[in-house]
Amino acid sequence: MSGKRQFRIWRGDESGGDLQDYMVEVNEGEVVLDVIHRLQATDAPDLACRWNCKAGKCGSCSMEINGKPRLGCMTRMSTFGDDETVTVTPLRTFPVIRDLVTDVSFNYEKARETPAFAPPADVAPGDYRMQQVDVERSQEFRKCIECFLCQTVCHVIRDHEENKQAFSGPRYFIRAAELDMHPLDARTDRKEYAQAEQGLGFCNITKCCTEVCPEHIKITDNGIIPMKERVVDRRYDPLVWLGSKIFRRGETPQTSVTTARQGSANPSGGTRGGVHSHAGGSHDSRAEAQAQSGVNWHREVPHPTAPAVDDRGKLPLTELTFDRAAAPSPFGDDVTFPLPPEHLNFAHPEQDNKH
């Protein structure tokens, strides 16, 4: 396993670039990120690569290795043949900043658009109670480390840049599904929002997002497909359809899909941004057409807050200094180890032995 291996790494920026070949030393047990660090220390000190924990829990080192979106710190070199060239490129779906670093702000914009958890009005904070089965039902989706591999592999936006405005992607479909499953969430229009605003209908469940998930979340089977089924039940159930026809004679029961702005009522009686009923019908013909198409192209998209930078465009860094090499002890400087048994807060075998 040890020896020189050929790497082909994409080098460039937003203006363009190309693949460059390197021969790098590889040792047994190493991962792709180890090799990239060695390459930075030897032949390519200016190679840009984003990483943080090197333990598969931060999602920072997302890249495409031999054409497949993966985490660099979780891809072992032993998975490749001894004579196989390892090609490393940035995430294809997002704009390149430099080398292997891409601009993933698209995902944070979609996160800001997704309505947050709405606590119940009649339950005080601290009094929330859930059945264990409800906790376990959505716990799987909480494992997401936001590596955005599912986002970059989804062909809806990977191959069609024009879909990004109307499509949130698998990461936020499971967020909507998780909140829709939550028994304490006060919002009742999660399904309508996923269909009309997040572009759930664009997903044709090829399960490529599930295949690349490093946390092995069943994104399609446990999140997207059940959400699609609930949308269909609500939107095309014959009883709901009949109820909407009956209510049309008087007043249509409506659910606000997009955030209603104060003072934004339009002359047709609807609310700007689209107010749709559960069955897709409303008094506003424009909102009705948007509900039928499943996309609201006229919604206001919030922009992320720009970080505070100095006059050079750099983030300010604060250096913490201490008078010794290691960090201060959380136990205080007057504690010596090992602690005597009587000071321990667990059952020590010698705790009851009096010397």
Side-chain angles (χ1 to χ4, degrees):
M1 182 62 190
S2 300
K4 292 280 188 178
R5 297 289 299 276
Q6 184 174 5
F7 267 69
R8 183 168 294 166
I9 299 180
W10 194 90
R11 303 297 307 275
D13 53 24
E14 66 275 6
S15 61
D18 57 6
L19 292 168
Q20 297 185 14
D21 292 328
Y22 300 93
M23 292 298 294
V24 194
E25 183 72 25
V26 176
N27 299 320
E28 186 174 359
E30 289 187 331
V31 295
V32 171
L33 187 60
D34 291 324
V35 180
I36 291 177
H37 287 168
R38 180 173 294 111
L39 185 61
Q40 289 174 325
T42 55
D43 298 341
D46 59 340
L47 174 61
C49 175
R50 184 182 285 133
W51 73 283
N52 187 17
C53 74
K54 201 177 176 295
K57 291 301 178 184
C58 73
S60 299
C61 60
S62 301
M63 56 188 69
E64 299 197 6
I65 304 173
N66 285 2
K68 182 178 180 179
R70 301 180 181 182
L71 293 179
C73 67
M74 299 298 290
T75 306
R76 293 194 172 275
M77 290 300 301
S78 58
T79 60
F80 307 106
D82 292 341
D83 56 349
E84 183 178 359
T85 299
V86 180
T87 303
V88 184
T89 57
L91 300 179
R92 198 183 88 180
T93 304
F94 308 118
V96 173
I97 297 177
R98 188 163 71 88
D99 298 340
L100 302 179
V101 179
T102 55
D103 181 5
V104 294
S105 59
F106 160 83
N107 302 284
Y108 300 115
E109 292 175 5
K110 294 302 179 182
R112 288 171 60 91
E113 294 177 26
T114 303
F117 170 76
D122 56 343
V123 181
D127 293 338
Y128 300 159
R129 297 294 182 269
M130 293 174 57
Q131 296 290 335
Q132 184 62 31
V133 64
D134 292 323
V135 175
E136 295 173 352
R137 190 181 183 192
S138 60
Q139 186 67 28
E140 176 187 14
F141 305 135
R142 304 292 294 183
K143 297 192 301 180
C144 175
I145 61 175
E146 295 199 328
C147 60
F148 304 131
L149 294 182
C150 63
Q151 298 285 88
T152 190
V153 79
C154 182
H155 61 274
V156 176
I157 52 178
R158 185 180 180 90
D159 300 329
H160 303 279
E161 181 72 20
E162 65 275 11
N163 287 340
K164 283 188 175 181
Q165 184 180 9
F167 189 76
S168 294
R171 193 280 170 259
Y172 300 105
F173 291 158
I174 64 172
R175 175 62 174 160
E178 173 202 344
L179 292 173
D180 191 52
M181 297 174 183
H182 203 298
L184 295 177
D185 184 58
R187 292 188 66 107
T188 59
D189 60 350
R190 298 286 181 186
K191 296 174 285 293
E192 288 80 1
Y193 184 87
Q195 172 68 18
E197 299 298 320
Q198 292 186 297
L200 183 65
F202 282 101
C203 173
N204 55 6
I205 54 178
T206 58
K207 298 189 179 183
C208 52
C209 51
T210 302
E211 292 179 2
V212 300
C213 179
E215 288 294 321
H216 308 290
I217 302 173
K218 300 298 186 291
I219 299 174
T220 311
D221 293 338
N222 294 348
I224 296 178
I225 291 179
M227 197 67 170
K228 278 177 169 284
E229 291 173 345
R230 291 194 291 272
V231 168
V232 171
D233 288 343
R234 173 63 66 186
R235 195 172 174 86
Y236 299 108
D237 186 277
L239 295 179
V240 177
W241 177 84
L242 180 60
S244 68
K245 292 297 183 182
I246 295 175
F247 279 109
R248 279 173 188 257
R249 300 174 184 175
E251 182 179 356
T252 304
Q254 296 179 342
T255 300
S256 176
V257 175
T258 55
T259 304
R261 281 82 172 179
Q262 294 184 354
S264 60
N266 58 31
S268 60
T271 304
R272 189 180 64 189
V275 177
H276 314 306
S277 71
H278 287 292
S282 69
H283 292 300
D284 186 358
S285 58
R286 179 169 172 268
E288 169 72 11
Q290 292 172 357
Q292 294 297 331
S293 64
V295 178
N296 180 10
W297 292 98
H298 305 283
R299 72 182 188 274
E300 296 181 12
V301 180
H303 297 284
T305 304
V309 296
D310 56 20
D311 52 359
R312 299 179 302 164
K314 306 294 184 181
L315 288 173
L317 299 178
T318 302
E319 183 178 1
L320 300 178
T321 60
F322 197 64
D323 56 359
R324 59 188 184 191
S329 171
F331 302 101
D333 293 333
D334 56 343
V335 178
T336 58
F337 293 92
L339 292 173
E342 61 270 15
H343 291 173
L344 298 177
N345 58 1
F346 63 92
H348 191 277
E350 301 179 0
Q351 190 167 5
D352 296 330
N353 295 338
K354 303 301 182 180
H355 297 288

mmCIF file of all heavy atoms in Angstrom, residues 94-123:
data_model
loop_
_atom_site.group_PDB
_atom_site.id
_atom_site.type_symbol
_atom_site.label_atom_id
_atom_site.label_comp_id
_atom_site.label_asym_id
_atom_site.label_seq_id
_atom_site.Cartn_x
_atom_site.Cartn_y
_atom_site.Cartn_z
ATOM 1 N N PHE A 94 -21.967 23.630 -7.097
ATOM 2 C CA PHE A 94 -21.821 24.957 -6.511
ATOM 3 C C PHE A 94 -20.647 25.706 -7.137
ATOM 4 O O PHE A 94 -19.686 25.086 -7.606
ATOM 5 C CB PHE A 94 -21.639 24.835 -4.989
ATOM 6 C CG PHE A 94 -22.699 23.995 -4.338
ATOM 7 C CD1 PHE A 94 -22.377 22.827 -3.660
ATOM 8 C CD2 PHE A 94 -24.030 24.366 -4.412
ATOM 9 C CE1 PHE A 94 -23.353 22.047 -3.077
ATOM 10 C CE2 PHE A 94 -25.014 23.591 -3.833
ATOM 11 C CZ PHE A 94 -24.681 22.432 -3.163
ATOM 12 N N PRO A 95 -20.698 27.047 -7.129
ATOM 13 C CA PRO A 95 -19.630 27.835 -7.762
ATOM 14 C C PRO A 95 -18.284 27.613 -7.073
ATOM 15 O O PRO A 95 -18.195 27.512 -5.847
ATOM 16 C CB PRO A 95 -20.107 29.285 -7.589
ATOM 17 C CG PRO A 95 -21.570 29.185 -7.333
ATOM 18 C CD PRO A 95 -21.792 27.897 -6.629
ATOM 19 N N VAL A 96 -17.233 27.547 -7.872
ATOM 20 C CA VAL A 96 -15.883 27.349 -7.346
ATOM 21 C C VAL A 96 -15.336 28.678 -6.831
ATOM 22 O O VAL A 96 -15.465 29.716 -7.485
ATOM 23 C CB VAL A 96 -14.959 26.774 -8.433
ATOM 24 C CG1 VAL A 96 -13.511 26.730 -7.942
ATOM 25 C CG2 VAL A 96 -15.411 25.391 -8.836
ATOM 26 N N ILE A 97 -14.748 28.640 -5.644
ATOM 27 C CA ILE A 97 -14.018 29.799 -5.126
ATOM 28 C C ILE A 97 -12.552 29.664 -5.515
ATOM 29 O O ILE A 97 -11.994 30.535 -6.191
ATOM 30 C CB ILE A 97 -14.168 29.894 -3.595
ATOM 31 C CG1 ILE A 97 -15.647 30.110 -3.225
ATOM 32 C CG2 ILE A 97 -13.296 31.032 -3.046
ATOM 33 C CD1 ILE A 97 -15.897 30.151 -1.737
ATOM 34 N N ARG A 98 -11.930 28.575 -5.105
ATOM 35 C CA ARG A 98 -10.564 28.280 -5.542
ATOM 36 C C ARG A 98 -10.253 26.817 -5.252
ATOM 37 O O ARG A 98 -10.538 26.314 -4.170
ATOM 38 C CB ARG A 98 -9.535 29.180 -4.841
ATOM 39 C CG ARG A 98 -8.121 29.047 -5.413
ATOM 40 C CD ARG A 98 -7.247 30.231 -5.004
ATOM 41 N NE ARG A 98 -6.902 30.223 -3.611
ATOM 42 C CZ ARG A 98 -5.837 29.604 -3.110
ATOM 43 N NH1 ARG A 98 -5.024 28.930 -3.912
ATOM 44 N NH2 ARG A 98 -5.578 29.651 -1.820
ATOM 45 N N ASP A 99 -9.664 26.165 -6.240
ATOM 46 C CA ASP A 99 -9.251 24.761 -6.131
ATOM 47 C C ASP A 99 -10.423 23.886 -5.678
ATOM 48 O O ASP A 99 -11.412 23.769 -6.390
ATOM 49 C CB ASP A 99 -8.050 24.636 -5.198
ATOM 50 C CG ASP A 99 -6.834 25.391 -5.721
ATOM 51 O OD1 ASP A 99 -6.802 25.670 -6.935
ATOM 52 O OD2 ASP A 99 -5.946 25.728 -4.922
ATOM 53 N N LEU A 100 -10.331 23.285 -4.481
ATOM 54 C CA LEU A 100 -11.354 22.367 -4.004
ATOM 55 C C LEU A 100 -12.402 23.036 -3.123
ATOM 56 O O LEU A 100 -13.258 22.350 -2.550
ATOM 57 C CB LEU A 100 -10.694 21.216 -3.232
ATOM 58 C CG LEU A 100 -9.655 20.401 -4.005
ATOM 59 C CD1 LEU A 100 -9.076 19.311 -3.115
ATOM 60 C CD2 LEU A 100 -10.239 19.808 -5.275
ATOM 61 N N VAL A 101 -12.355 24.345 -3.009
ATOM 62 C CA VAL A 101 -13.285 25.090 -2.147
ATOM 63 C C VAL A 101 -14.393 25.683 -3.004
ATOM 64 O O VAL A 101 -14.116 26.389 -3.975
ATOM 65 C CB VAL A 101 -12.552 26.194 -1.370
ATOM 66 C CG1 VAL A 101 -13.533 26.975 -0.509
ATOM 67 C CG2 VAL A 101 -11.453 25.596 -0.506
ATOM 68 N N THR A 102 -15.636 25.394 -2.648
ATOM 69 C CA THR A 102 -16.789 25.900 -3.386
ATOM 70 C C THR A 102 -17.652 26.795 -2.499
ATOM 71 O O THR A 102 -17.597 26.730 -1.273
ATOM 72 C CB THR A 102 -17.649 24.743 -3.914
ATOM 73 O OG1 THR A 102 -18.015 23.884 -2.819
ATOM 74 C CG2 THR A 102 -16.889 23.940 -4.957
ATOM 75 N N ASP A 103 -18.461 27.609 -3.140
ATOM 76 C CA ASP A 103 -19.374 28.509 -2.444
ATOM 77 C C ASP A 103 -20.697 27.780 -2.233
ATOM 78 O O ASP A 103 -21.487 27.609 -3.161
ATOM 79 C CB ASP A 103 -19.588 29.775 -3.279
ATOM 80 C CG ASP A 103 -20.520 30.770 -2.608
ATOM 81 O OD1 ASP A 103 -20.937 30.520 -1.450
ATOM 82 O OD2 ASP A 103 -20.838 31.799 -3.229
ATOM 83 N N VAL A 104 -20.954 27.340 -1.011
ATOM 84 C CA VAL A 104 -22.162 26.569 -0.702
ATOM 85 C C VAL A 104 -23.229 27.438 -0.050
ATOM 86 O O VAL A 104 -24.114 26.935 0.637
ATOM 87 C CB VAL A 104 -21.827 25.365 0.206
ATOM 88 C CG1 VAL A 104 -20.954 24.363 -0.518
ATOM 89 C CG2 VAL A 104 -21.150 25.825 1.499
ATOM 90 N N SER A 105 -23.171 28.742 -0.267
ATOM 91 C CA SER A 105 -24.135 29.646 0.370
ATOM 92 C C SER A 105 -25.560 29.377 -0.106
ATOM 93 O O SER A 105 -26.520 29.762 0.575
ATOM 94 C CB SER A 105 -23.750 31.103 0.086
ATOM 95 O OG SER A 105 -23.717 31.364 -1.307
ATOM 96 N N PHE A 106 -25.728 28.735 -1.257
ATOM 97 C CA PHE A 106 -27.062 28.348 -1.722
ATOM 98 C C PHE A 106 -27.811 27.578 -0.635
ATOM 99 O O PHE A 106 -28.994 27.803 -0.392
ATOM 100 C CB PHE A 106 -26.926 27.491 -2.992
ATOM 101 C CG PHE A 106 -28.140 26.654 -3.306
ATOM 102 C CD1 PHE A 106 -29.221 27.195 -3.967
ATOM 103 C CD2 PHE A 106 -28.196 25.316 -2.927
ATOM 104 C CE1 PHE A 106 -30.336 26.421 -4.261
ATOM 105 C CE2 PHE A 106 -29.305 24.539 -3.213
ATOM 106 C CZ PHE A 106 -30.381 25.093 -3.883
ATOM 107 N N ASN A 107 -27.108 26.690 0.040
ATOM 108 C CA ASN A 107 -27.742 25.860 1.061
ATOM 109 C C ASN A 107 -28.159 26.677 2.268
ATOM 110 O O ASN A 107 -29.213 26.411 2.876
ATOM 111 C CB ASN A 107 -26.772 24.750 1.478
ATOM 112 C CG ASN A 107 -26.339 23.891 0.313
ATOM 113 O OD1 ASN A 107 -27.070 23.059 -0.173
ATOM 114 N ND2 ASN A 107 -25.113 24.120 -0.164
ATOM 115 N N TYR A 108 -27.367 27.665 2.638
ATOM 116 C CA TYR A 108 -27.723 28.484 3.789
ATOM 117 C C TYR A 108 -28.890 29.419 3.461
ATOM 118 O O TYR A 108 -29.703 29.737 4.335
ATOM 119 C CB TYR A 108 -26.502 29.275 4.254
ATOM 120 C CG TYR A 108 -25.358 28.374 4.659
ATOM 121 C CD1 TYR A 108 -24.161 28.372 3.957
ATOM 122 C CD2 TYR A 108 -25.479 27.498 5.727
ATOM 123 C CE1 TYR A 108 -23.120 27.532 4.312
ATOM 124 C CE2 TYR A 108 -24.453 26.652 6.092
ATOM 125 C CZ TYR A 108 -23.274 26.674 5.373
ATOM 126 O OH TYR A 108 -22.252 25.828 5.725
ATOM 127 N N GLU A 109 -28.994 29.840 2.207
ATOM 128 C CA GLU A 109 -30.147 30.633 1.807
ATOM 129 C C GLU A 109 -31.424 29.793 1.894
ATOM 130 O O GLU A 109 -32.467 30.275 2.354
ATOM 131 C CB GLU A 109 -29.947 31.164 0.392
ATOM 132 C CG GLU A 109 -28.834 32.196 0.271
ATOM 133 C CD GLU A 109 -28.595 32.613 -1.166
ATOM 134 O OE1 GLU A 109 -29.381 32.164 -2.041
ATOM 135 O OE2 GLU A 109 -27.652 33.371 -1.416
ATOM 136 N N LYS A 110 -31.342 28.550 1.449
ATOM 137 C CA LYS A 110 -32.507 27.674 1.545
ATOM 138 C C LYS A 110 -32.845 27.366 3.002
ATOM 139 O O LYS A 110 -34.020 27.209 3.354
ATOM 140 C CB LYS A 110 -32.247 26.372 0.784
ATOM 141 C CG LYS A 110 -32.108 26.573 -0.723
ATOM 142 C CD LYS A 110 -33.335 27.229 -1.318
ATOM 143 C CE LYS A 110 -33.190 27.455 -2.812
ATOM 144 N NZ LYS A 110 -34.373 28.137 -3.394
ATOM 145 N N ALA A 111 -31.831 27.293 3.848
ATOM 146 C CA ALA A 111 -32.093 27.063 5.275
ATOM 147 C C ALA A 111 -32.840 28.240 5.884
ATOM 148 O O ALA A 111 -33.731 28.054 6.727
ATOM 149 C CB ALA A 111 -30.779 26.826 6.012
ATOM 150 N N ARG A 112 -32.489 29.458 5.461
ATOM 151 C CA ARG A 112 -33.175 30.642 5.981
ATOM 152 C C ARG A 112 -34.617 30.702 5.500
ATOM 153 O O ARG A 112 -35.486 31.222 6.200
ATOM 154 C CB ARG A 112 -32.429 31.908 5.553
ATOM 155 C CG ARG A 112 -31.104 32.131 6.270
ATOM 156 C CD ARG A 112 -30.335 33.275 5.631
ATOM 157 N NE ARG A 112 -31.080 34.527 5.679
ATOM 158 C CZ ARG A 112 -30.997 35.417 6.676
ATOM 159 N NH1 ARG A 112 -30.185 35.183 7.688
ATOM 160 N NH2 ARG A 112 -31.688 36.528 6.650
ATOM 161 N N GLU A 113 -34.886 30.173 4.322
ATOM 162 C CA GLU A 113 -36.250 30.187 3.804
ATOM 163 C C GLU A 113 -37.140 29.165 4.506
ATOM 164 O O GLU A 113 -38.362 29.346 4.573
ATOM 165 C CB GLU A 113 -36.236 29.886 2.302
ATOM 166 C CG GLU A 113 -35.571 30.949 1.455
ATOM 167 C CD GLU A 113 -35.534 30.546 -0.014
ATOM 168 O OE1 GLU A 113 -36.405 29.755 -0.429
ATOM 169 O OE2 GLU A 113 -34.630 31.004 -0.728
ATOM 170 N N THR A 114 -36.569 28.091 5.015
ATOM 171 C CA THR A 114 -37.358 27.030 5.640
ATOM 172 C C THR A 114 -37.916 27.508 6.977
ATOM 173 O O THR A 114 -37.156 27.928 7.852
ATOM 174 C CB THR A 114 -36.499 25.777 5.865
ATOM 175 O OG1 THR A 114 -35.941 25.356 4.612
ATOM 176 C CG2 THR A 114 -37.334 24.652 6.449
ATOM 177 N N PRO A 115 -39.224 27.482 7.169
ATOM 178 C CA PRO A 115 -39.798 27.923 8.453
ATOM 179 C C PRO A 115 -39.270 27.070 9.607
ATOM 180 O O PRO A 115 -39.190 25.847 9.503
ATOM 181 C CB PRO A 115 -41.304 27.719 8.257
ATOM 182 C CG PRO A 115 -41.505 27.709 6.770
ATOM 183 C CD PRO A 115 -40.263 27.104 6.192
ATOM 184 N N ALA A 116 -38.912 27.741 10.685
ATOM 185 C CA ALA A 116 -38.358 27.053 11.845
ATOM 186 C C ALA A 116 -39.458 26.364 12.636
ATOM 187 O O ALA A 116 -40.654 26.525 12.360
ATOM 188 C CB ALA A 116 -37.606 28.043 12.730
ATOM 189 N N PHE A 117 -39.038 25.599 13.624
ATOM 190 C CA PHE A 117 -39.977 24.932 14.518
ATOM 191 C C PHE A 117 -40.855 25.963 15.207
ATOM 192 O O PHE A 117 -40.373 26.979 15.735
ATOM 193 C CB PHE A 117 -39.209 24.120 15.559
ATOM 194 C CG PHE A 117 -40.055 23.583 16.676
ATOM 195 C CD1 PHE A 117 -40.869 22.488 16.475
ATOM 196 C CD2 PHE A 117 -40.034 24.173 17.926
ATOM 197 C CE1 PHE A 117 -41.652 21.987 17.500
ATOM 198 C CE2 PHE A 117 -40.812 23.687 18.961
ATOM 199 C CZ PHE A 117 -41.627 22.587 18.742
ATOM 200 N N ALA A 118 -42.162 25.748 15.188
ATOM 201 C CA ALA A 118 -43.124 26.655 15.815
ATOM 202 C C ALA A 118 -43.641 26.004 17.094
ATOM 203 O O ALA A 118 -44.397 25.029 17.026
ATOM 204 C CB ALA A 118 -44.273 26.957 14.866
ATOM 205 N N PRO A 119 -43.231 26.501 18.261
ATOM 206 C CA PRO A 119 -43.662 25.862 19.519
ATOM 207 C C PRO A 119 -45.156 26.042 19.737
ATOM 208 O O PRO A 119 -45.747 27.029 19.295
ATOM 209 C CB PRO A 119 -42.846 26.611 20.578
ATOM 210 C CG PRO A 119 -42.522 27.925 19.962
ATOM 211 C CD PRO A 119 -42.368 27.677 18.495
ATOM 212 N N PRO A 120 -45.798 25.104 20.420
ATOM 213 C CA PRO A 120 -47.234 25.231 20.694
ATOM 214 C C PRO A 120 -47.510 26.396 21.635
ATOM 215 O O PRO A 120 -46.776 26.627 22.596
ATOM 216 C CB PRO A 120 -47.596 23.882 21.326
ATOM 217 C CG PRO A 120 -46.299 23.361 21.874
ATOM 218 C CD PRO A 120 -45.228 23.861 20.954
ATOM 219 N N ALA A 121 -48.569 27.129 21.346
ATOM 220 C CA ALA A 121 -48.875 28.329 22.132
ATOM 221 C C ALA A 121 -49.379 28.003 23.531
ATOM 222 O O ALA A 121 -49.220 28.807 24.450
ATOM 223 C CB ALA A 121 -49.915 29.174 21.385
ATOM 224 N N ASP A 122 -49.978 26.829 23.716
ATOM 225 C CA ASP A 122 -50.581 26.499 25.006
ATOM 226 C C ASP A 122 -49.672 25.670 25.911
ATOM 227 O O ASP A 122 -50.110 25.197 26.958
ATOM 228 C CB ASP A 122 -51.888 25.735 24.783
ATOM 229 C CG ASP A 122 -51.691 24.492 23.937
ATOM 230 O OD1 ASP A 122 -50.639 24.401 23.265
ATOM 231 O OD2 ASP A 122 -52.580 23.622 23.939
ATOM 232 N N VAL A 123 -48.411 25.492 25.523
ATOM 233 C CA VAL A 123 -47.470 24.728 26.339
ATOM 234 C C VAL A 123 -46.259 25.606 26.637
ATOM 235 O O VAL A 123 -45.653 26.170 25.724
ATOM 236 C CB VAL A 123 -47.015 23.436 25.626
ATOM 237 C CG1 VAL A 123 -46.059 22.645 26.518
ATOM 238 C CG2 VAL A 123 -48.219 22.591 25.250
#
